[in-house]
mmCIF file of all heavy atoms in Angstrom:
data_model
loop_
_atom_site.group_PDB
_atom_site.id
_atom_site.type_symbol
_atom_site.label_atom_id
_atom_site.label_comp_id
_atom_site.label_asym_id
_atom_site.label_seq_id
_atom_site.Cartn_x
_atom_site.Cartn_y
_atom_site.Cartn_z
ATOM 1 N N VAL B 251 -16.334 -22.260 23.935
ATOM 2 C CA VAL B 251 -15.325 -21.284 24.309
ATOM 3 C C VAL B 251 -15.560 -20.029 23.467
ATOM 4 O O VAL B 251 -15.487 -20.104 22.250
ATOM 5 C CB VAL B 251 -13.877 -21.826 23.994
ATOM 6 C CG1 VAL B 251 -12.869 -20.846 24.488
ATOM 7 C CG2 VAL B 251 -13.733 -23.192 24.660
ATOM 8 N N CYS B 252 -15.855 -18.923 24.121
ATOM 9 C CA CYS B 252 -16.251 -17.703 23.378
ATOM 10 C C CYS B 252 -15.118 -16.706 23.325
ATOM 11 O O CYS B 252 -14.410 -16.497 24.345
ATOM 12 C CB CYS B 252 -17.462 -17.056 24.028
ATOM 13 S SG CYS B 252 -18.869 -18.213 24.206
ATOM 14 N N ALA B 253 -15.014 -16.007 22.210
ATOM 15 C CA ALA B 253 -13.893 -15.055 22.045
ATOM 16 C C ALA B 253 -13.994 -13.918 23.051
ATOM 17 O O ALA B 253 -12.958 -13.401 23.461
ATOM 18 C CB ALA B 253 -13.885 -14.559 20.591
ATOM 19 N N THR B 254 -15.221 -13.508 23.366
ATOM 20 C CA THR B 254 -15.329 -12.381 24.298
ATOM 21 C C THR B 254 -16.502 -12.598 25.237
ATOM 22 O O THR B 254 -17.425 -13.393 24.937
ATOM 23 C CB THR B 254 -15.610 -11.039 23.546
ATOM 24 O OG1 THR B 254 -16.934 -11.042 23.066
ATOM 25 C CG2 THR B 254 -14.626 -10.783 22.419
ATOM 26 N N ASP B 255 -16.484 -11.886 26.323
ATOM 27 C CA ASP B 255 -17.604 -12.003 27.306
ATOM 28 C C ASP B 255 -18.904 -11.510 26.629
ATOM 29 O O ASP B 255 -19.957 -12.059 26.921
ATOM 30 C CB ASP B 255 -17.327 -11.139 28.525
ATOM 31 C CG ASP B 255 -16.485 -11.901 29.545
ATOM 32 O OD1 ASP B 255 -16.126 -13.057 29.290
ATOM 33 O OD2 ASP B 255 -16.197 -11.316 30.615
ATOM 34 N N GLU B 256 -18.822 -10.468 25.874
ATOM 35 C CA GLU B 256 -20.011 -9.945 25.201
ATOM 36 C C GLU B 256 -20.662 -11.050 24.409
ATOM 37 O O GLU B 256 -21.865 -11.268 24.427
ATOM 38 C CB GLU B 256 -19.655 -8.769 24.392
ATOM 39 C CG GLU B 256 -20.451 -7.526 24.766
ATOM 40 C CD GLU B 256 -20.074 -6.329 23.949
ATOM 41 O OE1 GLU B 256 -18.867 -6.140 23.671
ATOM 42 O OE2 GLU B 256 -20.992 -5.615 23.495
ATOM 43 N N MET B 257 -19.849 -11.751 23.627
ATOM 44 C CA MET B 257 -20.393 -12.857 22.834
ATOM 45 C C MET B 257 -20.897 -13.953 23.754
ATOM 46 O O MET B 257 -21.941 -14.571 23.509
ATOM 47 C CB MET B 257 -19.307 -13.421 21.901
ATOM 48 C CG MET B 257 -18.764 -12.403 20.913
ATOM 49 S SD MET B 257 -17.663 -13.148 19.684
ATOM 50 C CE MET B 257 -18.825 -13.660 18.404
ATOM 51 N N ALA B 258 -20.158 -14.225 24.812
ATOM 52 C CA ALA B 258 -20.583 -15.284 25.749
ATOM 53 C C ALA B 258 -21.940 -14.986 26.337
ATOM 54 O O ALA B 258 -22.768 -15.882 26.543
ATOM 55 C CB ALA B 258 -19.522 -15.464 26.828
ATOM 56 N N ILE B 259 -22.211 -13.718 26.603
ATOM 57 C CA ILE B 259 -23.534 -13.347 27.174
ATOM 58 C C ILE B 259 -24.623 -13.634 26.189
ATOM 59 O O ILE B 259 -25.703 -14.105 26.543
ATOM 60 C CB ILE B 259 -23.476 -11.871 27.647
ATOM 61 C CG1 ILE B 259 -22.627 -11.737 28.872
ATOM 62 C CG2 ILE B 259 -24.885 -11.355 27.884
ATOM 63 C CD1 ILE B 259 -22.334 -10.330 29.265
ATOM 64 N N GLY B 260 -24.309 -13.358 24.916
ATOM 65 C CA GLY B 260 -25.300 -13.743 23.877
ATOM 66 C C GLY B 260 -25.482 -15.239 23.811
ATOM 67 O O GLY B 260 -26.614 -15.735 23.588
ATOM 68 N N VAL B 261 -24.413 -15.947 23.967
ATOM 69 C CA VAL B 261 -24.489 -17.439 23.941
ATOM 70 C C VAL B 261 -25.370 -17.905 25.116
ATOM 71 O O VAL B 261 -26.257 -18.779 24.909
ATOM 72 C CB VAL B 261 -23.069 -18.060 24.061
ATOM 73 C CG1 VAL B 261 -23.131 -19.531 24.333
ATOM 74 C CG2 VAL B 261 -22.272 -17.812 22.764
ATOM 75 N N LEU B 262 -25.186 -17.325 26.261
ATOM 76 C CA LEU B 262 -26.004 -17.758 27.402
ATOM 77 C C LEU B 262 -27.490 -17.510 27.098
ATOM 78 O O LEU B 262 -28.354 -18.314 27.477
ATOM 79 C CB LEU B 262 -25.577 -16.967 28.681
ATOM 80 C CG LEU B 262 -24.233 -17.303 29.271
ATOM 81 C CD1 LEU B 262 -23.957 -16.473 30.537
ATOM 82 C CD2 LEU B 262 -24.130 -18.787 29.581
ATOM 83 N N ARG B 263 -27.752 -16.378 26.467
ATOM 84 C CA ARG B 263 -29.133 -16.117 26.117
ATOM 85 C C ARG B 263 -29.713 -17.172 25.211
ATOM 86 O O ARG B 263 -30.812 -17.690 25.429
ATOM 87 C CB ARG B 263 -29.253 -14.705 25.466
ATOM 88 C CG ARG B 263 -30.633 -14.355 25.037
ATOM 89 C CD ARG B 263 -30.826 -12.824 24.921
ATOM 90 N NE ARG B 263 -30.002 -12.178 23.914
ATOM 91 C CZ ARG B 263 -30.450 -11.957 22.665
ATOM 92 N NH1 ARG B 263 -31.641 -12.354 22.268
ATOM 93 N NH2 ARG B 263 -29.645 -11.342 21.782
ATOM 94 N N ALA B 264 -28.933 -17.523 24.206
ATOM 95 C CA ALA B 264 -29.363 -18.566 23.283
ATOM 96 C C ALA B 264 -29.579 -19.863 24.025
ATOM 97 O O ALA B 264 -30.570 -20.576 23.796
ATOM 98 C CB ALA B 264 -28.353 -18.786 22.175
ATOM 99 N N LEU B 265 -28.730 -20.182 24.958
ATOM 100 C CA LEU B 265 -28.860 -21.467 25.711
ATOM 101 C C LEU B 265 -30.152 -21.454 26.572
ATOM 102 O O LEU B 265 -30.851 -22.437 26.633
ATOM 103 C CB LEU B 265 -27.622 -21.650 26.621
ATOM 104 C CG LEU B 265 -26.381 -22.041 25.864
ATOM 105 C CD1 LEU B 265 -25.176 -22.069 26.831
ATOM 106 C CD2 LEU B 265 -26.494 -23.370 25.164
ATOM 107 N N ARG B 266 -30.392 -20.287 27.177
ATOM 108 C CA ARG B 266 -31.634 -20.226 27.959
ATOM 109 C C ARG B 266 -32.849 -20.435 27.105
ATOM 110 O O ARG B 266 -33.753 -21.156 27.505
ATOM 111 C CB ARG B 266 -31.726 -18.821 28.604
ATOM 112 C CG ARG B 266 -31.043 -18.714 29.990
ATOM 113 C CD ARG B 266 -31.577 -17.462 30.734
ATOM 114 N NE ARG B 266 -31.398 -16.252 29.940
ATOM 115 C CZ ARG B 266 -30.276 -15.555 29.916
ATOM 116 N NH1 ARG B 266 -29.231 -15.941 30.654
ATOM 117 N NH2 ARG B 266 -30.176 -14.424 29.223
ATOM 118 N N GLU B 267 -32.828 -19.916 25.887
ATOM 119 C CA GLU B 267 -33.977 -20.064 25.049
ATOM 120 C C GLU B 267 -34.135 -21.511 24.541
ATOM 121 O O GLU B 267 -35.251 -21.986 24.407
ATOM 122 C CB GLU B 267 -33.841 -19.133 23.838
ATOM 123 C CG GLU B 267 -34.044 -17.667 24.175
ATOM 124 C CD GLU B 267 -33.920 -16.788 22.976
ATOM 125 O OE1 GLU B 267 -33.898 -17.322 21.827
ATOM 126 O OE2 GLU B 267 -33.844 -15.564 23.135
ATOM 127 N N VAL B 268 -33.011 -22.158 24.357
ATOM 128 C CA VAL B 268 -33.089 -23.492 23.734
ATOM 129 C C VAL B 268 -33.399 -24.583 24.752
ATOM 130 O O VAL B 268 -34.281 -25.423 24.513
ATOM 131 C CB VAL B 268 -31.762 -23.808 23.021
ATOM 132 C CG1 VAL B 268 -31.694 -25.271 22.668
ATOM 133 C CG2 VAL B 268 -31.633 -22.993 21.795
ATOM 134 N N ASP B 269 -32.740 -24.534 25.921
ATOM 135 C CA ASP B 269 -33.033 -25.629 26.881
ATOM 136 C C ASP B 269 -32.917 -25.167 28.322
ATOM 137 O O ASP B 269 -32.626 -25.966 29.191
ATOM 138 C CB ASP B 269 -32.097 -26.793 26.596
ATOM 139 C CG ASP B 269 -30.646 -26.418 26.931
ATOM 140 O OD1 ASP B 269 -30.419 -25.262 27.332
ATOM 141 O OD2 ASP B 269 -29.773 -27.295 26.833
ATOM 142 N N GLY B 270 -33.127 -23.933 28.548
ATOM 143 C CA GLY B 270 -33.127 -23.447 29.904
ATOM 144 C C GLY B 270 -31.694 -23.164 30.377
ATOM 145 O O GLY B 270 -31.530 -22.760 31.511
ATOM 146 N N GLY B 271 -30.720 -23.428 29.522
ATOM 147 C CA GLY B 271 -29.370 -23.007 29.871
ATOM 148 C C GLY B 271 -28.624 -23.928 30.789
ATOM 149 O O GLY B 271 -27.596 -23.601 31.302
ATOM 150 N N GLN B 272 -29.130 -25.152 30.999
ATOM 151 C CA GLN B 272 -28.454 -26.040 31.949
ATOM 152 C C GLN B 272 -27.548 -27.043 31.299
ATOM 153 O O GLN B 272 -26.860 -27.817 32.024
ATOM 154 C CB GLN B 272 -29.533 -26.767 32.791
ATOM 155 C CG GLN B 272 -30.309 -25.800 33.664
ATOM 156 C CD GLN B 272 -29.414 -24.903 34.485
ATOM 157 O OE1 GLN B 272 -28.528 -25.306 35.217
ATOM 158 N NE2 GLN B 272 -29.591 -23.589 34.328
ATOM 159 N N SER B 273 -27.522 -27.139 29.982
ATOM 160 C CA SER B 273 -26.863 -28.250 29.397
ATOM 161 C C SER B 273 -25.499 -28.027 28.821
ATOM 162 O O SER B 273 -24.722 -28.942 28.559
ATOM 163 C CB SER B 273 -27.756 -28.915 28.304
ATOM 164 O OG SER B 273 -27.832 -28.001 27.223
ATOM 165 N N VAL B 274 -25.186 -26.740 28.584
ATOM 166 C CA VAL B 274 -23.907 -26.528 27.863
ATOM 167 C C VAL B 274 -22.957 -25.585 28.702
ATOM 168 O O VAL B 274 -23.426 -24.584 29.248
ATOM 169 C CB VAL B 274 -24.162 -25.852 26.497
ATOM 170 C CG1 VAL B 274 -22.869 -25.522 25.772
ATOM 171 C CG2 VAL B 274 -25.033 -26.799 25.632
ATOM 172 N N SER B 275 -21.713 -25.963 28.751
ATOM 173 C CA SER B 275 -20.740 -25.145 29.483
ATOM 174 C C SER B 275 -20.285 -23.992 28.607
ATOM 175 O O SER B 275 -20.118 -24.140 27.388
ATOM 176 C CB SER B 275 -19.535 -26.022 29.862
ATOM 177 O OG SER B 275 -19.841 -26.821 30.960
ATOM 178 N N VAL B 276 -19.971 -22.879 29.242
ATOM 179 C CA VAL B 276 -19.569 -21.674 28.520
ATOM 180 C C VAL B 276 -18.433 -20.971 29.243
ATOM 181 O O VAL B 276 -18.437 -20.899 30.490
ATOM 182 C CB VAL B 276 -20.729 -20.715 28.358
ATOM 183 C CG1 VAL B 276 -20.282 -19.393 27.705
ATOM 184 C CG2 VAL B 276 -21.866 -21.320 27.519
ATOM 185 N N VAL B 277 -17.480 -20.503 28.469
ATOM 186 C CA VAL B 277 -16.506 -19.639 29.057
ATOM 187 C C VAL B 277 -16.247 -18.458 28.112
ATOM 188 O O VAL B 277 -16.279 -18.627 26.886
ATOM 189 C CB VAL B 277 -15.166 -20.364 29.388
ATOM 190 C CG1 VAL B 277 -14.519 -20.902 28.102
ATOM 191 C CG2 VAL B 277 -14.153 -19.507 30.107
ATOM 192 N N GLY B 278 -16.045 -17.307 28.698
ATOM 193 C CA GLY B 278 -15.795 -16.084 27.884
ATOM 194 C C GLY B 278 -14.381 -15.554 28.087
ATOM 195 O O GLY B 278 -13.484 -16.280 28.583
ATOM 196 N N HIS B 279 -14.183 -14.285 27.733
ATOM 197 C CA HIS B 279 -12.907 -13.672 27.929
ATOM 198 C C HIS B 279 -13.065 -12.140 28.070
ATOM 199 O O HIS B 279 -13.747 -11.555 27.179
ATOM 200 C CB HIS B 279 -11.969 -13.953 26.747
ATOM 201 C CG HIS B 279 -10.577 -13.366 26.953
ATOM 202 N ND1 HIS B 279 -10.354 -12.018 27.023
ATOM 203 C CD2 HIS B 279 -9.380 -13.964 27.107
ATOM 204 C CE1 HIS B 279 -9.057 -11.793 27.226
ATOM 205 N NE2 HIS B 279 -8.438 -12.958 27.279
ATOM 206 N N ASP B 280 -12.547 -11.615 29.097
ATOM 207 C CA ASP B 280 -12.434 -10.187 29.364
ATOM 208 C C ASP B 280 -12.742 -9.818 30.768
ATOM 209 O O ASP B 280 -12.327 -8.763 31.260
ATOM 210 C CB ASP B 280 -13.364 -9.308 28.500
ATOM 211 C CG ASP B 280 -12.828 -9.112 27.088
ATOM 212 O OD1 ASP B 280 -11.640 -9.454 26.827
ATOM 213 O OD2 ASP B 280 -13.605 -8.658 26.213
ATOM 214 N N ASP B 281 -13.534 -10.670 31.430
ATOM 215 C CA ASP B 281 -13.979 -10.384 32.799
ATOM 216 C C ASP B 281 -14.727 -9.115 32.896
ATOM 217 O O ASP B 281 -14.466 -8.269 33.779
ATOM 218 C CB ASP B 281 -12.769 -10.347 33.735
ATOM 219 C CG ASP B 281 -13.200 -10.384 35.201
ATOM 220 O OD1 ASP B 281 -14.323 -10.888 35.475
ATOM 221 O OD2 ASP B 281 -12.439 -9.908 36.068
ATOM 222 N N LEU B 282 -15.699 -8.925 32.004
ATOM 223 C CA LEU B 282 -16.634 -7.798 32.149
ATOM 224 C C LEU B 282 -17.299 -7.898 33.556
ATOM 225 O O LEU B 282 -17.685 -8.957 33.953
ATOM 226 C CB LEU B 282 -17.727 -7.898 31.085
ATOM 227 C CG LEU B 282 -17.383 -7.650 29.634
ATOM 228 C CD1 LEU B 282 -18.620 -7.401 28.830
ATOM 229 C CD2 LEU B 282 -16.401 -6.493 29.503
ATOM 230 N N PRO B 283 -17.454 -6.803 34.187
ATOM 231 C CA PRO B 283 -18.111 -6.733 35.495
ATOM 232 C C PRO B 283 -19.475 -7.458 35.430
ATOM 233 O O PRO B 283 -19.916 -8.115 36.336
ATOM 234 C CB PRO B 283 -18.254 -5.268 35.789
ATOM 235 C CG PRO B 283 -17.235 -4.581 34.923
ATOM 236 C CD PRO B 283 -17.062 -5.458 33.729
ATOM 237 N N ILE B 284 -20.127 -7.255 34.289
ATOM 238 C CA ILE B 284 -21.495 -7.783 34.158
ATOM 239 C C ILE B 284 -21.514 -9.321 34.247
ATOM 240 O O ILE B 284 -22.536 -9.917 34.617
ATOM 241 C CB ILE B 284 -22.051 -7.304 32.794
ATOM 242 C CG1 ILE B 284 -23.548 -6.939 32.944
ATOM 243 C CG2 ILE B 284 -21.862 -8.321 31.724
ATOM 244 C CD1 ILE B 284 -24.052 -6.274 31.703
ATOM 245 N N GLY B 285 -20.384 -9.927 33.952
ATOM 246 C CA GLY B 285 -20.343 -11.375 33.978
ATOM 247 C C GLY B 285 -20.665 -12.005 35.317
ATOM 248 O O GLY B 285 -21.183 -13.128 35.407
ATOM 249 N N ALA B 286 -20.428 -11.280 36.394
ATOM 250 C CA ALA B 286 -20.744 -11.794 37.724
ATOM 251 C C ALA B 286 -22.220 -11.829 37.988
ATOM 252 O O ALA B 286 -22.724 -12.437 38.913
ATOM 253 C CB ALA B 286 -20.037 -10.911 38.801
ATOM 254 N N PHE B 287 -22.989 -11.146 37.142
ATOM 255 C CA PHE B 287 -24.426 -11.028 37.389
ATOM 256 C C PHE B 287 -25.275 -11.825 36.403
ATOM 257 O O PHE B 287 -26.466 -11.833 36.537
ATOM 258 C CB PHE B 287 -24.801 -9.526 37.308
ATOM 259 C CG PHE B 287 -24.335 -8.750 38.450
ATOM 260 C CD1 PHE B 287 -23.053 -8.154 38.412
ATOM 261 C CD2 PHE B 287 -25.063 -8.637 39.580
ATOM 262 C CE1 PHE B 287 -22.552 -7.421 39.472
ATOM 263 C CE2 PHE B 287 -24.623 -7.876 40.650
ATOM 264 C CZ PHE B 287 -23.333 -7.315 40.595
ATOM 265 N N THR B 288 -24.669 -12.427 35.411
ATOM 266 C CA THR B 288 -25.479 -13.179 34.496
ATOM 267 C C THR B 288 -25.914 -14.475 35.181
ATOM 268 O O THR B 288 -25.428 -14.844 36.239
ATOM 269 C CB THR B 288 -24.653 -13.606 33.249
ATOM 270 O OG1 THR B 288 -23.506 -14.284 33.664
ATOM 271 C CG2 THR B 288 -24.241 -12.359 32.488
ATOM 272 N N SER B 289 -26.893 -15.145 34.558
ATOM 273 C CA SER B 289 -27.232 -16.422 35.188
ATOM 274 C C SER B 289 -27.164 -17.489 34.128
ATOM 275 O O SER B 289 -27.811 -17.376 33.099
ATOM 276 C CB SER B 289 -28.608 -16.373 35.815
ATOM 277 O OG SER B 289 -29.588 -16.820 34.911
ATOM 278 N N PRO B 290 -26.315 -18.497 34.267
ATOM 279 C CA PRO B 290 -25.373 -18.647 35.391
ATOM 280 C C PRO B 290 -24.276 -17.621 35.302
ATOM 281 O O PRO B 290 -23.986 -17.116 34.211
ATOM 282 C CB PRO B 290 -24.827 -20.039 35.164
ATOM 283 C CG PRO B 290 -24.867 -20.269 33.691
ATOM 284 C CD PRO B 290 -26.137 -19.557 33.228
ATOM 285 N N ALA B 291 -23.629 -17.338 36.419
ATOM 286 C CA ALA B 291 -22.505 -16.416 36.456
ATOM 287 C C ALA B 291 -21.435 -16.884 35.477
ATOM 288 O O ALA B 291 -21.115 -18.071 35.437
ATOM 289 C CB ALA B 291 -21.919 -16.286 37.855
ATOM 290 N N LEU B 292 -20.961 -15.961 34.689
ATOM 291 C CA LEU B 292 -20.073 -16.317 33.568
ATOM 292 C C LEU B 292 -18.647 -16.602 33.995
ATOM 293 O O LEU B 292 -17.958 -15.702 34.459
ATOM 294 C CB LEU B 292 -20.117 -15.190 32.546
ATOM 295 C CG LEU B 292 -19.317 -15.376 31.272
ATOM 296 C CD1 LEU B 292 -19.846 -16.551 30.472
ATOM 297 C CD2 LEU B 292 -19.307 -14.107 30.453
ATOM 298 N N SER B 293 -18.204 -17.798 33.742
ATOM 299 C CA SER B 293 -16.776 -18.063 33.885
ATOM 300 C C SER B 293 -16.037 -17.431 32.727
ATOM 301 O O SER B 293 -16.534 -17.378 31.593
ATOM 302 C CB SER B 293 -16.515 -19.604 33.891
ATOM 303 O OG SER B 293 -17.182 -20.186 34.985
ATOM 304 N N THR B 294 -14.866 -16.919 32.982
ATOM 305 C CA THR B 294 -14.229 -16.143 31.942
ATOM 306 C C THR B 294 -12.724 -16.155 32.136
ATOM 307 O O THR B 294 -12.175 -16.901 32.943
ATOM 308 C CB THR B 294 -14.775 -14.684 31.955
ATOM 309 O OG1 THR B 294 -14.217 -13.968 30.930
ATOM 310 C CG2 THR B 294 -14.496 -14.017 33.287
ATOM 311 N N MET B 295 -12.016 -15.314 31.363
ATOM 312 C CA MET B 295 -10.569 -15.180 31.520
ATOM 313 C C MET B 295 -10.250 -13.689 31.568
ATOM 314 O O MET B 295 -10.999 -12.875 31.082
ATOM 315 C CB MET B 295 -9.868 -15.764 30.289
ATOM 316 C CG MET B 295 -10.209 -17.193 29.969
ATOM 317 S SD MET B 295 -9.378 -17.734 28.473
ATOM 318 C CE MET B 295 -10.801 -18.345 27.524
#
Side-chain angles (χ1 to χ4, degrees):
Chain B
V251 185
C252 305
T254 73
D255 276 0
E256 237 179 316
M257 300 188 87
I259 288 170
V261 168
L262 290 181
R263 177 156 65 93
L265 288 174
R266 271 197 305 274
E267 288 181 10
V268 167
D269 68 358
Q272 293 311 304
S273 68
V274 178
S275 283
V276 173
V277 63
H279 182 295
D280 280 349
D281 193 25
L282 291 195
I284 218 171
F287 290 88
T288 56
S289 94
L292 182 63
S293 298
T294 183
M295 306 177 233

